[in-house]
Amino acid sequence: MTAKEIAAACGWNLLAGGEGEDNQADGCYVGDLLSWVMARAQSGNVWITVMGNVNAIAVATLTDVCCIVLTENAALDADAAKKSGDAGHPRIRLCRQQL
């Protein structure tokens, strides 16, 4: 599945980085500690996190993840949104109601 197909199937909104919406997903990694993600996320993973800053974009680029899914209504910083477009990775916010 592509990042775009996953977003459509789950009802998520694309926030930035539309150039990468055809990135292929091949697994998933969940984590918020950036050093752990850098060491453990695999290329093509969907990265689920609350980190929506430029450091997360840098980690996503280094690890070559498919996309970032922001959970818990986490915000995507304006600088991170701009940087994600430059990096070519889609950044998706999870649009799920909090329980």
Side-chain angles (χ1 to χ4, degrees):
M1 277 186 116
T2 66
K4 183 179 182 177
E5 291 168 337
I6 293 168
C10 295
W12 298 341
N13 295 322
L14 180 67
L15 295 179
E19 292 294 318
E21 62 187 13
D22 291 325
N23 292 349
Q24 290 291 318
D26 183 18
C28 180
Y29 189 83
V30 179
D32 296 320
L33 188 58
L34 298 179
S35 59
W36 277 65
V37 176
M38 277 193 313
R40 291 169 175 83
Q42 305 281 317
S43 176
N45 281 172
V46 173
W47 176 20
I48 300 173
T49 185
V50 295
M51 303 298 292
N53 57 37
V54 292
N55 294 331
I57 304 308
V59 169
T61 302
L62 286 171
T63 58
D64 193 35
V65 295
C66 169
C67 61
I68 297 174
V69 175
L70 294 177
T71 63
E72 302 293 328
N73 292 322
L76 179 65
D77 295 348
D79 290 341
K82 181 183 181 309
K83 199 64 140 168
S84 69
D86 296 343
H89 290 284
R91 310 298 172 221
I92 302 167
R93 173 179 284 165
L94 178 62
C95 296
R96 180 180 296 176
Q97 203 124 45
Q98 299 225 18
L99 300 177

